Amino acid sequence: GSSGYAYGGAIYNNGTITFNGETSFMDNSVIGSTSAMGGAISNHGSNYGYDQMHAPITFRKDVTFGGNAASFGSDIFNSNFASIIFEDDATFTGNTGSSITGGAIYNDKSDMVFAGKTVFTDYAAEYAGAVFNYNSGSITFEEDATFTDNSVSSEGGAVYNEDSTIIFDGKTIFNNNTSSYLGGAIINYNGSVLFGENSVLSFNNNK
């Protein structure tokens, strides 16, 4: 494949997208590049700063991701002051192969809000089995979040947070996530991981 960059197996966005019905992204991939970003969705905002979030994507109803593939963010690559909001439930059912970083999600200098229940299962990567949050990124889970059977060959079996903020404010479960080096469930480098006053936590058999 090419040594250049490739984005968005299904969707590349630098505008506004609203999904009003139930949506699924299955078996999408970015090919022909060693720097493949966003197997299903690659969402890119602006370089101008946090005065305004750009490239808003909104899911009004349930969304499912499964079998997608990319080097960075098998399901979603969200970067450069972009914004994604999930107003209902979001289900992430595993990637094809193994990502380099962010088995499901790669969030860089951008915002993501999960307002419904969220599940991540069976993701594999070198870093960040399910979720990678980096470079002043912000991710909020307002309701239940469950991470099960995600794995990495290096750090952050389920979640990798660096210089960024993640908020969990519902029932939060980490089951059977594994790392070969650091953080079977979560690794946090110079960032903030907040479990809110409404959160109920369960960590089971992470390694």
Side-chain angles (χ1 to χ4, degrees), residues 34-51:
T34 55
S35 296
M37 302 179 185
I41 297 173
S42 193
N43 192 39
H44 294 255
S46 165
N47 290 318
Y48 296 120
Y50 267 120
D51 57 321

Side-chain angles (χ1 to χ4, degrees), residues 29 31 34 44 50 67 77 92 111 114 141 148 153 159-160 190:
S29 62
I31 60 174
T34 55
H44 294 255
Y50 267 120
F77 184 87
F92 297 82
D111 287 359
F114 296 86
F141 296 93
T148 303
S153 59
V159 173
Y160 186 120
N190 300 315

Side-chain angles (χ1 to χ4, degrees), residues 44-189:
H44 294 255
S46 165
N47 290 318
Y48 296 120
Y50 267 120
D51 57 321
Q52 179 181 350
M53 278 293 154
H54 301 267
I57 294 178
T58 303
F59 293 93
R60 302 284 189 203
K61 295 188 177 180
D62 293 355
V63 58
T64 301
F65 295 84
N68 302 301
S71 301
F72 303 92
S74 291
D75 294 324
I76 298 171
F77 184 87
N78 193 44
S79 70
N80 286 350
F81 307 104
S83 172
I84 301 178
I85 298 175
F86 299 83
E87 295 184 352
D88 211 332
D89 297 348
T91 303
F92 297 82
T93 62
N95 54 348
T96 298
S98 178
S99 298
I100 295 173
T101 304
I105 292 171
Y106 187 114
N107 188 58
D108 178 6
K109 201 162 45 181
S110 297
D111 287 359
M112 302 184 76
V113 176
F114 296 86
K117 295 180 180 179
T118 310
V119 175
F120 297 90
T121 307
D122 291 328
Y123 282 89
E126 184 174 353
Y127 297 90
V131 175
F132 181 73
N133 192 35
Y134 177 67
N135 196 17
S136 297
S138 174
I139 299 177
T140 300
F141 296 93
E142 295 181 351
E143 296 291 340
D144 299 353
T146 303
F147 300 81
T148 303
D149 294 332
N150 304 291
S151 63
V152 293
S153 59
S154 188
E155 301 176 358
V159 173
Y160 186 120
N161 188 58
E162 183 172 351
D163 298 319
S164 298
T165 300
I166 296 181
I167 298 172
F168 298 95
D169 203 25
K171 184 177 181 180
T172 305
I173 300 172
F174 292 89
N175 285 333
N176 302 317
N177 302 288
T178 60
S179 166
S180 295
Y181 183 40
L182 295 174
I186 299 172
I187 193 162
N188 183 42
Y189 284 120

